[in-house]
Amino acid sequence: MTDTSNTSEGHPTFSVVGRSMPQLDAVAKATGGAKYTADLKIPGMLYAKVLRSPLPHARILKIDIGEAERLPGVKAVICHKNVPRVAYNSYYREPIDEERLPADEYIFDEKVRYVGDKVAALAATSLDIAEEALELIQVEYEELPFVLDPLEALKPDAPRIHEVENNLVREVKWDVGNIEEGFAEADYIFENTYRTQMQQHVPLEPHCCIAEFDINGELHIISSTQGTFNVRVLLGKILNMPLSKIRVTRPHIGGAFGGKNDLFDEILCALLAMKAKRPVRLVNTREEEFSSTRVRHCHIIDLKYGVKKDGTLVARQMKAILNTGAYTAAGGKVTLTTGHRWIMLYRTPHVRYEGKCIYCNTPVASAMRGFGTPQQSFATESMIDEIAEKLGIDPVEIRLKNHRRLGDFDPISKITLGSVGIPECLKKGAEAMGWTKKRKVEKGKGRYRRGVGVALGTHNTGVKPFVNELSSAFIKVNEDGSINLLTGVVDLGQGSDTVLAQIAAEVLGVSVEDISVVDPGDTGSTPYDMGTHSSRQTYLGGMAVKMAAEEAKAQLLDEAAKRLETRPEDLEMKDRKIFVKGSPSTSISLADVAVGLIHGQVTHQVMGRGSFSPVTNAPPFEIHFAEVEVDTVTGAVKVIKFVAAHDLGKVINPLLSEGQVHGGVHMGIGYAFWEGLQIDPKTGHYLNPNLIDYKVASAVDMPPIDIILVESHEPTGPYGAKGLGEPAMVPTAAAIANAIYDAIGIRFRQLPITRQKVLEALRKQKA
Amino acid sequence: MTDTSNTSEGHPTFSVVGRSMPQLDAVAKATGGAKYTADLKIPGMLYAKVLRSPLPHARILKIDIGEAERLPGVKAVICHKNVPRVAYNSYYREPIDEERLPADEYIFDEKVRYVGDKVAALAATSLDIAEEALELIQVEYEELPFVLDPLEALKPDAPRIHEVENNLVREVKWDVGNIEEGFAEADYIFENTYRTQMQQHVPLEPHCCIAEFDINGELHIISSTQGTFNVRVLLGKILNMPLSKIRVTRPHIGGAFGGKNDLFDEILCALLAMKAKRPVRLVNTREEEFSSTRVRHCHIIDLKYGVKKDGTLVARQMKAILNTGAYTAAGGKVTLTTGHRWIMLYRTPHVRYEGKCIYCNTPVASAMRGFGTPQQSFATESMIDEIAEKLGIDPVEIRLKNHRRLGDFDPISKITLGSVGIPECLKKGAEAMGWTKKRKVEKGKGRYRRGVGVALGTHNTGVKPFVNELSSAFIKVNEDGSINLLTGVVDLGQGSDTVLAQIAAEVLGVSVEDISVVDPGDTGSTPYDMGTHSSRQTYLGGMAVKMAAEEAKAQLLDEAAKRLETRPEDLEMKDRKIFVKGSPSTSISLADVAVGLIHGQVTHQVMGRGSFSPVTNAPPFEIHFAEVEVDTVTGAVKVIKFVAAHDLGKVINPLLSEGQVHGGVHMGIGYAFWEGLQIDPKTGHYLNPNLIDYKVASAVDMPPIDIILVESHEPTGPYGAKGLGEPAMVPTAAAIANAIYDAIGIRFRQLPITRQKVLEALRKQKA
């Protein structure tokens, strides 16, 4: 049901853009031929293991690595005593933007701050030896009081995790209008508190990396990372090496979802490789994935909304507490974006946001799909429904009344909205769900009760203005007219390579098969890209590729114009030909021009460059409709139908766009019902750090999904495109919570909405 | 004794250009850490062997590969019966220039044309199995009459090696002026015949390559090749694949000297990998290096010179017969260059050149250091001395009288000479040798007799106009101001990476350490380069790098101008700073500008491109002076002093320039005295295809060498540079032959001048 027509009046017709095609590496991945980091073996490679803290908060009084070092086969052991003490922030790419994030991480520190924190690392000739050696490292800890709850952590007498008052990493306060006036103007005031849990990314491929110093002292890193250039700049800073001497390569990547955005243990691998003078590989166990990589911030969100009788929002206030875990990582930024996306979505004259980012002795929270938005979306889109119900307004109507319009000014990021497809999304989505009819149906009193819910969402494309942005691309045309595309964009599995090839093919009038994305990309040969995050790559990477292709095209047209004795501006490129506009028979093949340029009398390598730094964050919009069926006997809730309507500006590849939506809804369903890392309050240990006890949605949990792709044409994007990856999961949980309310009249304000919680609530309701 | 001052009046002062520094990979190579192709192991890799013809000329009546295929461990066997029959020329990069070379090679053919020709190839899980399997291939040959001598091959009843009349591959005839008039005007006519032998390149690292098809069907080749793009275009043609789907990588290369210029058995590796669906590696044995790679053309040169009494050349005629072996390869081009360099070196109003390139049933002759020039240099510089002696003119004087001058027009390549350093070379060289004094010394009659000789030479820089030319480069500036340089130039061991880094560093005002040449280069990520041959890389590759660096510099200056509130043209870059000309205190660091560009408010990846296609071949000039001591008892000749004066336009790196000269003289000494592949006239088999029986010069054979580097400033070259690599061996043998004549009064007109030949000649002289 995708709406990708591009031939309607006033729209140009495209050859490649807008066409569904599988990912370029689909066969490689489907057949197992694609190589991931853990598939690679470098001659002489050692196997690394990390000793991780068994305590949530402790000082290391003594550490003895001697016995481990002496175990035959062990080639290097590092701990805080034999590595430099350099402070860094694993998310923060110094020197980036005006606003610095706390550099509170060290390679190793004398303190450990959560269960799973790094204590030591070693490299040995086999994994068995490495594991055996880990047990030979003797550590004497002084246990310190710990705190797992951000509200507790804020108290004056709470354990101090870093040298920061009240464990407060960052406080953000924004006021738009005058919130007190707003509440005074309101007919109704609504106040509620919502809570979300600690979700983990659960990529199929765990974090892993290989480090090797070559004979010239250059450092080569192969890593399952979202940002090769981010790894490079952080390693450069910590190791004090010029960036040109560090080369970070990414092979195929088996999912990331934000969890591979920060610098990971590449630094440990590099130091072990330096010490052992051999290549070193480190692969996380699944348990380490849960404990020692990254999680989603769990939020406590207090909302206070003032509305007019007709449903017009006049005042919105959010006070959000974010648990960023033991280190800041992206916490400071997530505190910003939590508020920003919320303010941005609805028109409201008076708004106040207060966000507080707090240290706790829990795993490090950083970037995860949505970057603070799914949390607030659950809260605020539940709140909108609570208001709508009170006022007797249809949930779709109240959203239609208040949402941002084209041309609205976003007071926080100071941008004017250039594309807003919300009305079309709401209209088409409601139709597809059969909304009006299903809402009117009297909810039964039987065992199985159905309901429908909606939630509106937004996110952003790229991180402007919270971080500066840059993507770049380089294109060269070969002597047979085939094309190599070099991009620093990291394809995490979402298919960005394919989409970028489509964009290049469209500009150059060739087929995607004529474009080879030079793979695997590495920081030595590709131009700079800030990494794959913030739903940015079709937009930013795509625009850089489009610019590079256009620069290459201009050179080809210049040459063709000489041959065809015309002017470049009178020429067009299509089907591997360059022809005079309106006279397709007067043409020359791309191959002829290319070979002429490389091997002709006047030789010239066609090279096109693109560097794109946007002025906006081009917000995408999305509406999710969920229909659920609650089993009132077991408490189980099943999503039986789902409609996802997405305004992504322009659909470059419908198949891959739908894939993104499927993945997002899947992750949103897990977020709604099951996911969440549980911590024993007595020990700080994790109760479910494995895929038996931590349930993610599986195929049988998935409803049929109607996907509606709305093309609002973002004027700053390539062919009008903007982001999709993160939006795909932003409103899912809220839509489900609202549908559950519709089904059984119970409002859940805390995620996940587990079977136990539903049963308990039904029992209370009955009583 | 190098003359590299660049501070003399009127010359700019450089920071990096003109400075000696070791190769960037010197430590890697000296410590054994550098990885060559044969050091690489790809998981699952098979080992290839080639079945080679035991006969110089035969038809394959039957070939049975079944038994070999059935041997356990054998994964693929190919022969002419199961591969496509595609004709190609291993030297010729279709589609290149206007003039096609015969495509007379096949992957395998039904005929074999020399001992060592390809019959079949196979890949197995071990080298032992591969060797065993070779013996299981049964071939039934029909022996054909064969011919080893080009004069015999030209006869009408000679065996026909290809479908070509008289085995004549190519005939080149050039006339300048009117040769008959010239001879009529002459006071004296000189006629002589000279012969040269079949030299082999003898690179330390034999030819080897690895081929692998990835899961997407893209072909990856790792090869010890001089031209990654040449391999790519030929494989593309033979396999009918788009060039973007073929990626050719070159690791460190252990010497090439022209012998790795042609497509080698990469095609066999690729086909075996395709058939076996596994990576395949092929490494030549030393014997295969001699028999089955490439050799230098052996020439038979008839000269007829007409001169005035005062030594003025009025008419020169050369008739050259070139044995190109069983296939053309570069033969057609060498026939051109043999004549061209000869015509170019001296002013002469009337010149005739007739070159004939002939097939024989001998190893394939193609490119080798000098590309036809050392052969004719031996002949013509011997001839000049014979004339000088007859006319009683000093050999230096006769050359000074006749050599080309600045601004002279070369009638063959249609270029005007932009830099000629011959007089300075002759003057400084003669001084360094003590020429005048040593020539006057009465030659003794004792056992040891000394003499001095001189020879003038030229070559060309790049192959214009005989092939079109292109080098290109790409530079990106990292956010710390460090720089990545991408070039398709292949560093064969001569140090081009270092020289290119110096050129980039000079333009950008940084040190060489700030530049990382992205290594190993491959055709996917580097822009096009025509390969390392024709002494072209400092000139062509260097110019492309200079252009790329200048484009990057312009972007940096633009940004710096904004920050310093001035105009870009008022700025200079030096010592990693950008400052206002004449006011070095008003400056900004390169790192600040770079980080500002990548992470600032207006972000931008600095990317510079260079594409250089010269209009000239910028001839370098060289004079070698040799002093020899002949042991009249043993016939042994020892070079006891050597002076090499080279006009290379501009010295970028004196140390590496001297290294080139050392290597060239070394190769020239081997050429003069020992080298030459010997063929049994009865069987066509090789008598010395190994390093015991084929002697190359060793350290104890080397004289001290005075190197004089003359900077004539080539206006079309980077900082005035032109070529050096090939010139370094061009006149060596002639200078030695002339010195031997000076010592003992015996003229040798055939190379090599072995101890036996000297003894025999001394005996004849005595008699």
Side-chain angles (χ1 to χ4, degrees), chain A residues 244-441:
Chain A
S244 60
K245 309 289 185 201
I246 302 174
R247 196 163 175 181
V248 183
T249 303
R250 57 97 188 166
H252 286 286
I253 292 180
F257 312 110
K260 295 173 180 171
N261 191 57
D262 296 1
L263 181 76
F264 157 66
D265 295 334
E266 290 95 349
I267 181 64
L268 301 185
C269 260
L271 287 165
L272 288 169
M274 192 187 280
K275 202 169 156 74
K277 298 192 196 321
R278 280 169 69 168
V280 173
R281 191 179 75 191
L282 177 61
V283 184
N284 262 3
T285 62
R286 183 57 64 184
E287 182 158 349
E288 287 175 306
E289 282 296 295
F290 279 100
S291 68
S292 306
T293 63
R294 295 290 178 262
V295 293
R296 186 190 291 286
H297 287 83
C298 45
H299 283 42
I300 301 165
I301 296 175
D302 289 323
L303 293 183
K304 182 174 176 186
Y305 276 41
V307 288
K308 292 280 190 193
K309 281 178 191 160
D310 67 353
T312 305
L313 297 169
V314 287
R316 288 188 286 148
Q317 176 177 289
M318 177 188 291
K319 293 184 178 178
I321 303 283
L322 288 73
N323 172 9
T324 202
Y327 300 97
T328 305
K333 298 283 182 187
V334 175
T335 314
L336 291 169
T337 55
T338 295
H340 169 245
R341 283 33 149 172
W342 167 69
I343 296 174
M344 215 279 298
L345 185 57
Y346 290 107
R347 288 175 161 184
T348 316
H350 308 288
V351 180
R352 168 168 290 172
Y353 172 67
E354 288 179 21
K356 285 182 180 167
C357 184
I358 314 291
Y359 287 127
C360 288
N361 295 113
T362 59
V364 184
S366 193
M368 183 171 174
R369 196 176 202 166
F371 207 79
T373 312
Q375 296 97 317
Q376 62 84 354
S377 169
F378 167 69
T380 60
E381 288 299 294
S382 294
M383 181 61 132
I384 293 283
D385 258 37
E386 297 195 48
I387 295 167
E389 194 204 11
K390 178 81 178 178
L391 303 184
I393 303 175
D394 181 89
V396 169
E397 290 308 314
I398 195 169
R399 288 173 170 89
L400 270 174
K401 181 184 281 286
N402 289 288
H403 74 81
R404 291 275 183 197
R405 268 52 166 193
L406 187 68
D408 276 7
F409 181 74
D410 168 20
I412 304 303
S413 65
K414 317 277 187 224
I415 63 143
T416 300
L417 296 181
S419 59
V420 179
I422 296 174
E424 193 177 340
C425 285
L426 273 170
K427 186 172 164 288
K428 289 187 171 171
E431 274 171 26
M433 179 48 88
W435 174 260
T436 315
K437 197 172 148 203
K438 284 181 180 165
R439 282 293 286 195
K440 281 185 187 150
V441 167

Side-chain angles (χ1 to χ4, degrees), chain A residues 469 476 523 528 603 605 613, chain B residues 469 476 523 528 603 605 613:
Chain A
E469 273 287 15
K476 62 198 185 82
T523 56
Y528 186 87
T603 55
Q605 164 77 70
S613 177
Chain B
E469 272 287 14
K476 63 198 184 79
T523 57
Y528 186 87
T603 56
Q605 164 76 70
S613 178

Side-chain angles (χ1 to χ4, degrees), chain B residues 19-61:
Chain B
R19 270 184 47 210
S20 277
M21 56 185 70
Q23 294 192 23
L24 297 174
D25 55 6
V27 171
K29 285 181 169 161
T31 58
K35 294 267 189 293
Y36 297 82
T37 303
D39 294 324
L40 305 175
K41 282 193 180 166
I42 313 285
M45 190 177 81
L46 302 174
Y47 299 80
K49 286 297 292 179
V50 181
L51 182 68
R52 308 217 180 253
S53 170
L55 298 170
H57 202 191
R59 194 175 315 281
I60 296 170
L61 298 178

Side-chain angles (χ1 to χ4, degrees), chain A residues 24-25 27-28 31 33-34 93 95-98 215-216 218 229 232-233 241-245 247 464 468-470 472-474 476 478-480 482-484 486 513-516 518-520 523-528 530 551 555 595 597-601 603-605 607-611 613, chain B residues 24-25 27-28 31 33-34 93 95-98 215-216 218 229 232-233 241-245 247 464 468-470 472-474 476 478-480 482-484 486 513-516 518-520 523-528 530 551 555 595 597-601 603-605 607-611 613:
Chain A
L24 297 174
D25 56 6
V27 171
T31 58
R93 281 77 81 171
I96 306 188
D97 47 351
E98 62 290 348
I215 189 76
N216 296 318
E218 294 200 10
F229 286 90
R232 186 176 76 159
V233 78
M241 285 178 70
L243 299 185
S244 60
K245 309 289 185 201
R247 196 163 175 181
K464 268 282 189 189
N468 285 309
E469 273 287 15
L470 178 62
S472 45
F474 179 64
K476 62 198 185 82
N478 300 316
E479 59 267 45
D480 63 348
S482 68
I483 288 144
N484 285 116
L486 285 115
E513 291 69 41
D514 296 321
I515 311 272
S516 278
V518 177
D519 214 27
T523 56
S525 58
T526 67
Y528 186 87
M530 204 166 250
E551 195 175 59
Q555 295 163 50
V595 77
L597 279 168
I598 288 199
H599 286 313
Q601 281 303 323
T603 55
H604 171 55
Q605 164 77 70
M607 292 183 261
R609 302 158 303 167
S611 250
S613 177
Chain B
L24 297 174
D25 55 6
V27 171
T31 58
R93 281 77 79 170
I96 305 187
D97 48 352
E98 61 290 351
I215 188 76
N216 296 319
E218 294 200 10
F229 286 90
R232 186 177 76 158
V233 78
M241 285 178 70
L243 300 184
S244 59
K245 310 287 186 203
R247 196 163 175 181
K464 269 280 187 187
N468 285 309
E469 272 287 14
L470 178 62
S472 44
F474 179 64
K476 63 198 184 79
N478 300 316
E479 59 267 46
D480 63 348
S482 68
I483 288 144
N484 285 116
L486 285 115
E513 291 69 41
D514 296 321
I515 311 272
S516 278
V518 176
D519 214 27
T523 57
S525 58
T526 67
Y528 186 87
M530 202 166 251
E551 195 175 56
Q555 295 164 50
V595 77
L597 279 167
I598 288 197
H599 286 312
Q601 282 303 324
T603 56
H604 171 55
Q605 164 76 70
M607 292 184 262
R609 303 157 303 167
S611 250
S613 178

Side-chain angles (χ1 to χ4, degrees), chain B residues 533-548:
Chain B
H533 55 77
S534 310
S535 310
R536 71 196 286 283
Q537 291 303 17
T538 298
Y539 177 72
L540 266 126
M543 200 57 156
V545 167
K546 189 162 180 279
M547 292 163 79

Side-chain angles (χ1 to χ4, degrees), chain A residues 32-48 205 208-212 220-225 248-253 269 279-283 519-522, chain B residues 41-44 212 214:
Chain A
K35 295 265 188 294
Y36 297 82
T37 303
D39 294 324
L40 305 175
K41 282 193 179 165
I42 312 287
M45 191 178 80
L46 302 174
Y47 299 80
E205 181 204 18
C208 72
C209 63
I210 299 172
E212 181 178 21
H220 295 254
I221 296 278
I222 301 170
S223 179
S224 181
T225 178
V248 183
T249 303
R250 57 97 188 166
H252 286 286
I253 292 180
C269 260
V280 173
R281 191 179 75 191
L282 177 61
V283 184
D519 214 27
D522 75 83
Chain B
K41 282 193 180 166
I42 313 285
E212 181 177 21
D214 74 12

Side-chain angles (χ1 to χ4, degrees), chain A residues 51-110:
Chain A
L51 181 68
R52 307 216 181 255
S53 170
L55 298 170
H57 201 191
R59 194 176 315 281
I60 297 171
L61 297 177
K62 263 173 79 179
I63 181 163
D64 184 352
I65 59 173
E67 206 177 328
E69 281 181 321
R70 286 187 295 272
L71 184 71
V74 172
K75 300 298 177 188
V77 186
I78 52 174
C79 65
H80 76 271
K81 284 163 69 178
N82 64 358
V83 299
R85 187 176 159 86
V86 185
Y88 64 94
N89 176 301
S90 57
Y91 168 81
Y92 179 55
R93 281 77 81 171
E94 274 197 80
I96 306 188
D97 47 351
E98 62 290 348
E99 180 206 52
R100 294 186 165 262
L101 290 173
D104 52 16
E105 291 171 75
Y106 298 90
I107 304 164
F108 296 108
D109 202 0
E110 289 179 24

